Amino acid sequence: MTEHKSNLTGPNVVGPNLIWYENLKRGDVALVGGKNSSLGEMTQALGAKGIRIPPGFATSSGAYREYLEANGFNGMIREKMGNLAAGRETLHKVGASIREAVAGGKWPEKIEADIRAAYRELGKRTGKAEPSVAVRSSATAEDLPDASFAGQQESYLNIVGEAALLEACRRCYASLFTDRAITYRALKGFDSEKVALSIGVQLMVRSDTGGSGVMFSIDTESGFDQVVLITAAWGLGENVVQGAVDPDEFQVYKPFLDRPGVTPIVAKSLGAKDIKMVYASGAAGPTRNVPTSKAERGMFVLSDPEIIELARYARTIEDHYGMPMDMEWARDGDTKTIYIVQARPETVMARVDVHALKSYRIIEAGPKLIEGLSVGEAVAAGEVCLLDSARDIDKFVDGAILVTSTTDPDWVPIMKKASAIITDHGGRTSHAAIVSRELGLPAIVGTGNATHVLHDHQEVTVSCAGGDHGVVYQGIAKFAVDEVRFDTIPATKTKIMLNLANPAAAARWWRLPVDGVGLARMEFVINNGVRVHPLALTRYAELKDDTVKAEIDRRTKGYARREDYFIEMLAMGLSRIAATWYPKPVIVRMSDFKTNEYAELLGGRQFEPKEENPMIGWRGASRYYSDGYKDGFALECRAIRRLREEMGFDNVIVMIPFCRSPEEADRVLAVMAENGLRRGDKGLQVYVMCEIPSNVILAEAFAERFDGFSIGSNDLTQLTLGVDRDSGTLAGLFQERDPAVIWMIETVIARAHAAGAKVGLCGQAPSNDPDFARLLVKAGIDSISVTPDAFLAVKKIVAAVEIE
């Protein structure tokens, strides 16, 4: 048996077969596996920093090897694995025969005595005669930088009594030879004879009456390292890990965790949480799933202070290990205490090439079939293979798109043959999501109805290219793959910024060396996140449509006031953009819907007039001080104030669109000040869009009222040339390079600079025509804001022009 003298001394050690967590450290992987060594490390090193670990002990790898030797299993295992490698026996037959033998073995007398003694000691420490424990497997090769071993071996919950504990330990040993574990080791190149198993025996946290979940100290999709991702569900944590439940999801901005007066929760999403795992008794087994109540489904598992507490735990653990971490947590329903029950290195982003970025773009696609949470950022197309059970592995066609309700570790042999994965259930930290990332596959989880909408042999395209939400399209779509090498990007004096709308997609570009965000479109967040017309909230009593009122009631449930829903959703959506590049400037344009677009929001038709030409109608600044929208604009201002002051993102600059005159500017600025956004207070800068000829003609007057200009080349071209930008008939006349438009741009740059104001351009022209950037640089523009896919081309042109 392997000796490990450094850890086999002290009053809490039962013997060479068992070690208490407080006597273990992270370097003891060979002795007790990755999971148990990590729990020991945290017990030793992080308890004083507030990290709570349930007490427990681990069996040694030596005990496992002695168990196999005492029962004569080594020769049998070697023979069976050889038969599998040679094709003489199937995976299913080999795994079943080894598991049956190992689970039926007899304990060596000393090991059994040690386990019994340690269990009794745990009872003394916790004041319980027969404590309920979690019995978890910890392989000596698990949780390495390139292999998560997520769920490959079994865990058993709510185990009570010495006899039940010994039986659960035998089953843990046997689980080293499940079909999925054998397959996974082969996939990762691990020799089964060189992998041993330690068993962790840990006091159960009463999360069956509380909640539990998974968290990562980075964004699992983009690798953005400044946020903590937390998922949560009611009851025991197995449902979250296995993807059997759609959990709540939260993101927290780490740099602001210790900033006084700031609540840096940048995303909150309510999950369905339709079942929960609880303790069972008698013949039902140790645990069972029961439906959640309507109240539980309609509320978040975690309060804001608990979310912040967990995020601090994640940051502390990450700082201690010096790497991104994957953690499981549990909240005791009786004491409300939150515990960390597992922590291991994050294994996917650790392998990402930090010097390059691949970007996928859908060029042409069929109808949208279903949506869900996206995993990865790729696109895949092919035929659907719909399976109900992992036992149907023989029916799976290599390279097909796997569609199923949910996955667990038994699915790994199938998943590694798929080109993409779609599930009905599960969150971003579910088994399907974790394994898909590790295999480098695009996946869409938590669709709700994929197994009902899709069918075998159907051709579909799985797109994870749009941020948090993935889409399944009918048919084989046309798509492009672009790669940006960061080491080829030159430096420029002219600032190159991004145009962004979708907050969910912002983090994927966090590695780009941009100078900030030149245009963040508020209306996108309202349209895709809030979805309710602000006046339908401020003037709810005036609504005439009962169906609209019922839907608003559903969306705003849990908020003290309906208006708070709008403010929180808008502030959080914008915060994800602001956080990605903090402290670089992020220019947020206040809502710039046209009346026909506002009307499409929930409840909007009642409050919006019908205009013949909304493009040059009641839009932008004219709405903000009008009695017809003033209270709606107040909600926008309160969201910005929350974003800057309560959430801490003081890098946000406000921009006013379609401001026709200096007098109109004065009225807008006065309304903003009434709502707590006074230019200059707390560093607030206010810009104006330059998209109307009057903005150029009266540039000096506008410069007195605003800190900067952002040229909107589309509208400026439309209004300079008198060409409807949406007209197909006049498309040939819409030329941003027209001499009149160029004169407008050059003139406003010169006049604004003379008045001490900055000037940028956030129109589409440089993105569609990077050479247009030459004209801007020669005119002396301060910044150019482009779409992410055009960033590299524009950056290179600007660098070349600056050299010239």
Side-chain angles (χ1 to χ4, degrees):
M1 181 169 25
T2 303
E3 289 291 329
H4 198 279
K5 295 181 181 178
S6 64
N7 277 320
L8 300 181
T9 60
N12 296 322
V13 178
V14 177
N17 300 314
L18 297 170
I19 309 95
W20 290 89
Y21 282 145
E22 58 263 35
N23 286 35
L24 289 168
K25 58 183 186 296
R26 66 192 292 189
D28 291 331
V29 174
L31 179 69
V32 293
K35 188 179 301 178
N36 284 331
S37 62
S38 179
L39 287 168
E41 175 78 14
M42 289 190 294
T43 300
Q44 274 197 41
L46 299 181
K49 296 183 178 181
I51 306 297
R52 300 181 185 91
I53 310 296
F57 59 89
T59 66
S60 67
S61 57
Y64 166 79
R65 298 192 187 282
E66 184 172 326
Y67 178 85
L68 295 188
E69 184 66 32
N71 284 280
F73 291 148
N74 287 323
M76 178 271 296
I77 292 171
R78 190 175 299 114
E79 179 184 351
K80 289 292 183 182
M81 295 302 293
N83 288 344
L84 175 62
R88 291 189 291 271
E89 290 188 78
T90 65
L91 171 65
H92 181 71
K93 185 176 180 181
V94 165
S97 59
I98 297 176
R99 290 194 303 275
E100 182 180 6
V102 174
K106 295 185 66 175
W107 285 105
E109 183 177 335
K110 184 63 171 69
I111 297 176
E112 179 178 342
D114 285 348
I115 293 174
R116 288 181 182 272
Y119 180 70
R120 289 193 291 269
E121 173 64 19
L122 183 61
K124 291 178 183 177
R125 294 183 179 193
T126 58
K128 300 176 182 179
E130 287 195 323
S132 171
V133 295
V135 182
R136 303 180 186 276
S137 304
S138 179
T140 58
E142 74 180 340
D143 300 335
L144 301 179
D146 63 344
S148 73
F149 277 73
Q152 295 309 308
Q153 287 73 233
E154 298 290 357
S155 294
Y156 300 96
L157 306 179
N158 192 26
I159 302 300
V160 179
E162 294 176 23
L165 173 58
L166 290 166
E167 174 61 24
C169 288
R170 276 193 291 263
R171 285 187 286 162
C172 278
Y173 282 168
S175 73
L176 195 58
F177 297 94
T178 59
D179 295 358
R180 70 204 184 215
I182 294 171
T183 300
Y184 192 87
R185 288 196 295 274
L187 181 68
K188 293 295 181 181
F190 289 103
D191 186 338
S192 286
E193 287 193 52
K194 295 181 180 179
V195 177
L197 197 84
S198 167
I199 300 165
V201 179
Q202 218 177 357
L203 184 70
M204 278 292 293
V205 177
R206 288 304 305 267
S207 59
D208 63 310
T209 58
S212 55
V214 175
M215 65 178 174
F216 287 81
S217 62
I218 60 170
D219 176 24
T220 54
E221 300 313 312
S222 66
F224 181 46
D225 58 4
Q226 298 302 302
V227 294
V228 175
L229 171 67
I230 304 169
T231 57
W234 301 110
L236 303 174
E238 294 303 296
N239 283 338
V240 178
V241 174
Q242 302 298 348
V245 67
D246 301 323
D248 296 340
E249 184 173 301
F250 313 99
Q251 286 191 31
V252 184
Y253 187 59
K254 285 188 289 189
F256 289 175
L257 278 170
D258 295 326
R259 182 176 286 195
V262 164
T263 303
I265 301 171
V266 298
K268 291 171 76 173
S269 175
L270 188 69
K273 309 183 297 290
D274 50 4
I275 59 172
K276 64 178 178 179
M277 184 177 287
V278 299
Y279 288 2
S281 58
T287 62
R288 65 190 179 105
N289 274 315
V290 298
T292 50
S293 67
K294 187 175 181 180
E296 287 173 322
R297 293 194 295 273
M299 65 186 293
F300 288 111
V301 173
L302 295 168
S303 66
D304 284 3
E306 288 172 327
I307 295 167
I308 297 299
E309 179 183 356
L310 272 170
R312 288 192 173 117
Y313 286 0
R315 185 190 59 183
T316 299
I317 293 169
E318 179 184 60
D319 287 348
H320 178 75
Y321 282 88
M323 65 185 73
M325 297 295 288
D326 167 1
M327 295 145 283
E328 293 179 25
W329 62 270
R331 183 187 62 201
D332 191 296
D334 297 333
T335 66
K336 310 303 180 187
T337 303
I338 296 177
Y339 295 89
I340 299 298
V341 296
Q342 188 174 143
R344 57 192 172 214
E346 191 278 335
T347 59
V348 177
M349 287 300 162
R351 306 196 306 271
V352 170
D353 182 0
V354 298
H355 302 294
L357 176 68
K358 269 190 177 177
S359 173
Y360 291 74
R361 290 182 290 117
I362 295 290
I363 298 172
E364 183 179 337
K368 185 187 299 183
L369 298 177
I370 52 174
E371 295 181 341
L373 297 174
S374 68
V375 177
E377 299 176 347
V379 175
E383 285 193 359
V384 165
C385 186
L386 179 62
L387 297 182
D388 295 323
S389 169
R391 291 189 297 270
D392 297 329
I393 185 170
D394 294 338
K395 298 179 182 177
F396 190 79
V397 179
D398 287 7
I401 294 171
L402 172 63
V403 177
T404 188
S405 179
T406 185
T407 70
D408 59 32
D410 287 335
W411 286 87
V412 171
I414 298 175
M415 297 170 77
K416 71 187 187 76
K417 298 180 179 181
S419 61
I421 296 166
I422 305 170
T423 67
D424 287 341
H425 304 294
R428 233 180 294 276
T429 58
S430 64
H431 176 269
I434 290 172
V435 173
S436 295
R437 285 188 206 100
E438 189 166 322
L439 296 175
L441 301 177
I444 300 178
V445 300
T447 62
N449 60 351
T451 55
H452 295 281
V453 174
L454 306 178
H455 58 82
D456 269 335
H457 307 301
Q458 179 181 11
E459 288 189 333
V460 299
T461 298
V462 175
S463 173
C464 296
D468 283 355
H469 280 80
V471 179
V472 179
Y473 296 102
Q474 174 67 47
I476 306 297
K478 292 181 181 179
F479 63 92
V481 184
D482 304 314
E483 183 174 90
V484 176
R485 294 289 309 180
F486 299 142
D487 50 10
T488 67
I489 298 176
T492 59
K493 180 181 177 182
T494 306
K495 296 184 183 302
I496 308 300
M497 307 171 84
L498 294 186
N499 292 336
L500 289 173
N502 185 359
R508 70 166 46 192
W509 305 106
W510 72 277
R511 290 189 178 93
L512 283 181
V514 304
D515 295 300
V517 175
L519 174 62
R521 296 181 173 93
M522 178 184 286
E523 60 270 13
F524 184 96
V525 181
I526 295 174
N527 195 41
N528 293 275
V530 182
R531 300 184 181 180
V532 181
H533 195 289
L535 299 188
L537 301 171
T538 61
R539 306 178 191 180
Y540 176 85
E542 299 176 20
L543 288 172
K544 300 173 183 177
D545 190 327
D546 289 339
T547 303
V548 168
K549 293 178 87 169
E551 178 60 18
I552 289 175
D553 289 345
R554 186 188 70 81
R555 289 180 179 274
T556 60
K557 185 178 180 180
Y559 288 89
R561 300 186 315 153
R562 294 181 183 89
E563 294 93 330
D564 292 340
Y565 164 79
F566 185 98
I567 294 165
E568 178 172 286
M569 294 293 289
L570 180 54
M572 282 193 176
L574 294 170
S575 74
R576 298 181 70 180
I577 298 175
T580 304
W581 285 283
Y582 188 87
K584 293 177 181 177
V586 170
I587 302 172
V588 174
R589 185 177 68 189
M590 305 303 277
S591 67
D592 193 27
F593 284 125
K594 288 74 177 174
T595 50
N596 58 320
E597 295 169 332
Y598 271 112
E600 293 302 312
L601 295 171
L602 185 64
R605 294 189 183 279
Q606 184 174 324
F607 301 104
E608 295 297 331
K610 291 186 178 180
E611 296 184 295
E612 289 296 325
N613 191 350
M615 186 68 77
I616 55 172
W618 192 39
R619 61 176 286 201
S622 61
R623 296 180 65 95
Y624 302 157
Y625 56 85
S626 166
D627 289 338
Y629 187 74
K630 194 174 181 180
D631 47 334
F633 182 64
L635 297 189
E636 297 182 25
C637 291
R638 287 167 63 189
I640 293 293
R641 188 175 179 183
R642 176 170 181 172
L643 177 65
R644 285 179 48 86
E645 298 176 18
E646 295 178 31
M647 302 179 75
F649 295 104
D650 51 12
N651 60 326
V652 167
I653 296 169
V654 172
M655 184 156 65
I656 305 301
F658 228 76
C659 189
R660 294 173 168 91
S661 69
E663 293 73 24
E664 190 166 62
D666 290 336
R667 299 182 71 176
V668 171
L669 291 169
V671 173
M672 289 176 62
E674 290 172 9
N675 288 286
L677 292 180
R678 185 181 300 276
R679 179 188 169 207
D681 282 2
K682 299 178 182 177
L684 175 64
Q685 295 184 60
V686 183
Y687 281 30
V688 66
M689 290 288 294
C690 177
E691 50 195 345
I692 305 169
S694 62
N695 301 140
V696 179
I697 296 166
L698 301 175
E700 291 83 359
F702 281 102
E704 291 176 6
R705 292 160 171 83
F706 295 101
D707 297 285
F709 294 78
S710 185
I711 300 168
S713 56
N714 287 345
D715 272 326
L716 187 60
T717 301
Q718 170 179 248
L719 297 176
T720 299
L721 300 179
V723 175
D724 183 348
R725 65 191 243 193
D726 289 339
S727 170
T729 304
L730 301 178
L733 299 177
F734 190 89
Q735 297 290 336
E736 288 157 314
R737 285 177 174 271
D738 187 278
V741 179
I742 298 300
W743 182 90
M744 288 283 184
I745 292 172
E746 292 174 340
T747 300
V748 76
I749 292 173
R751 290 183 176 181
H753 282 171
K758 300 174 183 176
V759 186
L761 184 138
C762 63
Q764 193 63 25
S767 297
N768 295 339
D769 177 14
D771 200 48
F772 189 80
R774 292 180 181 275
L775 299 171
L776 300 175
V777 175
K778 290 179 178 178
I781 202 157
D782 297 299
S783 64
I784 301 172
S785 191
V786 298
T787 54
D789 58 310
F791 173 80
L792 182 60
V794 172
K795 187 80 167 172
K796 288 182 175 179
I797 286 177
V798 169
V801 175
E802 288 181 348
I803 292 172
E804 292 171 9

